[in-house]
Amino acid sequence: MADLVVVGSVALDSVKTPFGKVAEALGGSATYFSYAASFFAPVRVVGAVGGDFPREHLELLRKRGVDVSALEVLPDEKTFRWTGEYGFDLNEAKTLDVQLNAFATFKPKLGPVHRKAPFLFLANIDPVLQLDVLSQMDEPAMVALDTMNFWIEGKREDLLKVLARVDVLLINDAEARMLAREPNLIKAARAIATMGPKTVVIKRGEYGALLVSNGQFFFAPAYPLDSVFDPTGAGDTFAGGFMGYLAQQNATDAAALRRAMVRGAAMASFTVEDFSLERLKRLEPREIDERLRIFADMVRLEG
Amino acid sequence: MADLVVVGSVALDSVKTPFGKVAEALGGSATYFSYAASFFAPVRVVGAVGGDFPREHLELLRKRGVDVSALEVLPDEKTFRWTGEYGFDLNEAKTLDVQLNAFATFKPKLGPVHRKAPFLFLANIDPVLQLDVLSQMDEPAMVALDTMNFWIEGKREDLLKVLARVDVLLINDAEARMLAREPNLIKAARAIATMGPKTVVIKRGEYGALLVSNGQFFFAPAYPLDSVFDPTGAGDTFAGGFMGYLAQQNATDAAALRRAMVRGAAMASFTVEDFSLERLKRLEPREIDERLRIFADMVRLEG
């Protein structure tokens, strides 16, 4: 069991899907990540919220054993807010509004416990912030990074700087193509490996996730859900299950990466079943085990 | 090893992709199916071509051991022609022109050898023709069917009649949703099972294929190709590998269905590497074995 640190957003999300809507619900990449990872390993969140951040959300993370000592509360700021909408094609969110608020001026300061963590996840935020956090670390065994079209287009140079120093990139397929400037996904994954990350995890929503690592491929199917309610946070939850498992095993070898992929896919399959962290909040470890059995069965060739 | 019969089109295709174009090349659902299946089991084609059908195409099938005795040559008719185009999103073909020609009036007449075959594939043609062929069969062990949006919308009642009598439906995901009138794919597969076919194979192109059979799921990833040249025939080739393997094993149990899925995916991965049957024509059995090894490795959890 090894320590895991995440830097990313802790947010209030307003989301509309064809099945309902929710206003100012708990969200943010570091939130989904840390809550999911907490089922596997101890997690420490680096980030910032405003004075308006509901105290019960902090309590929720604390109750899962998440260390929020480096989640700064800036009393004069407001919390990061995201407003988005999904159509019947739940694969793509339409962002209606983003307010950086507390994140606009946030300067992460890592303490000695955080710096020594062997596992670091740089969730989807400004690559300048990601690089700042990475530079403060002692010598992590594994650094993983997520990003999005906004940074790939708007801060490509900064993103390439931090990418050169990470081991794993977790990214969706459209973003992988955009980053590599290559329409073929397999060629794109190979091109990304030359930018730094030797392992690329391509998240494809309802189509599963593909791991490309040192020329080897591994495919984790998506769990066959008969209702997807809200895909918000699925990617961050996937990353939480993935990195949480690696930290729990304190391993970064090829076999561990494969098993981590399936944990990521299992955790993501719960998040999308309800708004915000509602499904994760009622999640029992035995339910994770049950989905892992179904995942193994879905690719079993023996019959 | 058991006999396998296919009814479907034998055609001349004119295709344009972002990577090139080809005019009046050998195509058609029964052609791709039978050529792919011939790597596993003896196949007999039921269909019709016109007097203009190049003799060398018949020779090509014969050389693979395909029985073309029930492929009628109608000297006064022209061969079925399809003209289509793909954009950079190779997942969807745009049909520019279809000329049924020999298929407009074709009345299949099965001989005693065909009637006794235990495995039957009703490739994508008019459901009235599919039902006609099925009605002439003695007592096949397994009947599989493919169809498309054109018949789902235009001949739904006829399609439902034949569906009620088949064991396996092979279909792409958009068509599965359309047939079931249900946007969720898992619910759609379940709804289709109530129409007749206890096994539904949902083909998802570059995202792989999903088997839903008696409430069990199996997922075959797509082979990670670094260049897809022309997707025409991929679905029929998949079906050929799938049914060819089942006929070879003379088996229809759950374990055989899973192994058949991977054979289908492997065969399809070759077809898309070139126009028409060009890649299949230079295919060596050891290349199939090699891809099967990679498929097994892509889902191996042990590392």
Side-chain angles (χ1 to χ4, degrees):
Chain A
M1 193 88 90
D3 248 28
L4 170 58
V5 165
V6 55
V7 55
S9 61
V10 175
L12 296 174
D13 287 349
S14 298
V15 182
K16 196 175 159 188
T17 82
F19 314 109
K21 59 182 177 173
V22 72
E24 307 238 317
L26 177 59
S29 56
T31 311
Y32 283 106
F33 178 91
S34 62
Y35 203 96
S38 75
F39 284 86
F40 301 93
V43 201
R44 302 175 195 279
V45 176
V46 177
V49 292
D52 60 347
F53 191 67
R55 193 158 296 271
E56 70 255 33
H57 293 341
L58 288 177
E59 268 320 296
L60 183 76
L61 294 174
R62 269 197 206 102
K63 273 202 306 204
R64 286 289 327 161
V66 175
D67 170 14
V68 292
S69 65
L71 178 60
E72 291 180 45
V73 181
L74 307 172
D76 299 333
E77 301 278 355
K78 294 184 80 179
T79 298
F80 181 108
R81 273 167 175 78
W82 179 74
T83 304
E85 196 177 283
Y86 297 84
F88 272 101
D89 175 5
L90 292 166
N91 283 316
E92 206 176 354
K94 189 175 161 196
T95 292
L96 300 174
D97 188 40
V98 178
Q99 296 170 23
L100 286 181
N101 296 334
F103 269 89
T105 55
F106 173 56
K107 283 273 163 213
K109 289 172 290 290
L110 272 61
V113 182
H114 293 79
R115 286 200 199 109
K116 278 202 288 280
F119 290 84
L120 173 66
F121 184 61
L122 304 167
N124 175 22
I125 47 164
D126 189 329
V128 175
L129 268 181
Q130 292 178 318
L131 191 59
D132 183 355
V133 170
L134 180 53
S135 303
Q136 295 180 47
M137 296 295 288
D138 281 352
E139 239 178 272
M142 175 172 275
V143 180
L145 179 144
D146 186 12
T147 190
M148 70 184 292
N149 46 9
F150 185 75
W151 310 117
I152 295 169
E153 284 174 336
K155 294 213 174 178
R156 187 175 177 89
E157 288 314 307
D158 293 306
L159 180 59
L160 291 178
K161 258 183 231 165
V162 58
L163 267 184
R165 294 173 57 183
V166 314
D167 305 292
V168 182
L169 174 66
L170 293 111
I171 194 167
N172 77 32
D173 50 359
E175 288 157 359
R177 292 184 170 104
M178 185 188 284
L179 175 60
R181 295 171 172 161
E182 162 59 51
N184 180 277
L185 205 56
I186 306 305
K187 280 188 191 159
R190 242 178 247 140
I192 290 168
T194 69
M195 299 175 183
K198 292 292 160 265
T199 299
V200 181
V201 175
I202 298 172
K203 298 171 289 179
R204 308 177 101 180
E206 61 162 326
Y207 300 111
L210 180 69
L211 172 84
V212 188
S213 187
N214 297 309
Q216 301 286 305
F217 296 95
F218 175 77
F219 191 85
Y223 183 83
L225 286 171
D226 63 11
S227 72
V228 174
F229 195 78
D230 174 14
T232 307
D236 302 309
T237 308
F238 183 101
F242 181 86
M243 291 293 284
Y245 178 76
L246 293 175
Q248 181 194 60
Q249 302 294 311
N250 198 8
T252 61
D253 60 288
L257 287 173
R258 285 167 177 249
R259 290 191 303 264
M261 287 285 287
V262 184
R263 269 73 187 173
M267 296 307 291
S269 76
F270 291 111
T271 287
V272 302
E273 290 187 298
D274 205 338
F275 279 126
S276 185
L277 283 82
E278 293 310 317
R279 182 65 180 91
L280 292 183
K281 280 157 73 174
R282 23 175 226 276
L283 181 61
E284 305 279 348
R286 59 162 183 78
E287 295 178 295
I288 303 174
D289 294 339
E290 198 186 316
R291 293 221 171 155
L292 291 176
R293 272 194 300 277
I294 292 172
F295 273 104
D297 190 58
M298 275 185 75
V299 297
R300 193 170 39 84
L301 267 172
E302 295 76 31
Chain B
M1 192 89 89
D3 247 26
L4 171 58
V5 165
V6 55
V7 56
S9 62
V10 174
L12 296 175
D13 287 348
S14 297
V15 182
K16 197 175 158 188
T17 82
F19 314 110
K21 58 181 176 175
V22 71
E24 306 237 319
L26 177 59
S29 55
T31 312
Y32 283 107
F33 178 91
S34 61
Y35 203 97
S38 74
F39 284 86
F40 301 94
V43 200
R44 303 177 195 277
V45 177
V46 177
V49 293
D52 60 347
F53 191 67
R55 193 159 295 273
E56 70 255 33
H57 293 341
L58 288 177
E59 268 319 297
L60 184 75
L61 293 174
R62 272 198 205 102
K63 273 202 307 205
R64 287 290 325 161
V66 175
D67 170 15
V68 292
S69 64
L71 178 60
E72 292 180 45
V73 182
L74 307 174
D76 301 330
E77 300 279 355
K78 293 184 81 180
T79 299
F80 182 108
R81 274 166 175 78
W82 179 74
T83 304
E85 195 177 284
Y86 297 85
F88 272 101
D89 176 5
L90 293 166
N91 284 316
E92 206 176 354
K94 190 176 159 194
T95 291
L96 301 174
D97 188 39
V98 178
Q99 296 169 24
L100 284 181
N101 296 333
F103 269 91
T105 56
F106 173 57
K107 283 270 163 215
K109 289 171 290 290
L110 272 61
V113 183
H114 292 81
R115 284 202 201 106
K116 277 203 289 279
F119 289 85
L120 172 66
F121 184 61
L122 304 167
N124 175 23
I125 47 165
D126 189 330
V128 175
L129 267 183
Q130 291 178 322
L131 191 59
D132 184 355
V133 170
L134 180 52
S135 302
Q136 296 180 47
M137 296 294 290
D138 281 352
E139 237 179 273
M142 175 172 277
V143 179
L145 178 145
D146 187 12
T147 190
M148 69 184 295
N149 47 9
F150 184 74
W151 310 117
I152 295 170
E153 284 173 339
K155 294 214 174 179
R156 188 177 178 88
E157 287 315 307
D158 294 305
L159 180 58
L160 291 178
K161 258 183 232 165
V162 58
L163 266 183
R165 294 173 57 183
V166 312
D167 306 291
V168 182
L169 174 66
L170 293 110
I171 194 167
N172 78 31
D173 50 359
E175 288 156 1
R177 292 184 170 104
M178 185 188 285
L179 175 61
R181 295 173 172 162
E182 162 60 52
N184 179 277
L185 205 55
I186 306 305
K187 280 187 192 160
R190 243 180 247 139
I192 290 168
T194 69
M195 299 174 184
K198 291 293 160 265
T199 298
V200 181
V201 175
I202 298 171
K203 299 171 289 179
R204 308 176 99 179
E206 61 162 325
Y207 299 111
L210 181 68
L211 172 83
V212 187
S213 187
N214 296 310
Q216 301 285 305
F217 296 96
F218 175 77
F219 191 85
Y223 183 83
L225 286 172
D226 63 11
S227 71
V228 175
F229 194 78
D230 174 14
T232 307
D236 302 309
T237 309
F238 183 101
F242 181 86
M243 290 294 284
Y245 177 78
L246 293 174
Q248 182 194 60
Q249 303 294 311
N250 197 8
T252 62
D253 60 289
L257 287 173
R258 285 167 177 249
R259 291 191 303 263
M261 287 285 288
V262 184
R263 268 73 183 174
M267 295 308 289
S269 76
F270 291 111
T271 287
V272 302
E273 290 187 299
D274 205 338
F275 278 127
S276 184
L277 281 83
E278 293 309 317
R279 182 66 180 90
L280 292 183
K281 279 157 73 175
R282 16 175 232 276
L283 182 61
E284 305 279 348
R286 58 162 183 78
E287 293 178 295
I288 303 174
D289 294 339
E290 199 186 314
R291 293 221 172 154
L292 291 176
R293 272 195 300 278
I294 292 171
F295 273 105
D297 190 59
M298 275 185 75
V299 296
R300 192 168 41 83
L301 266 173
E302 296 75 32

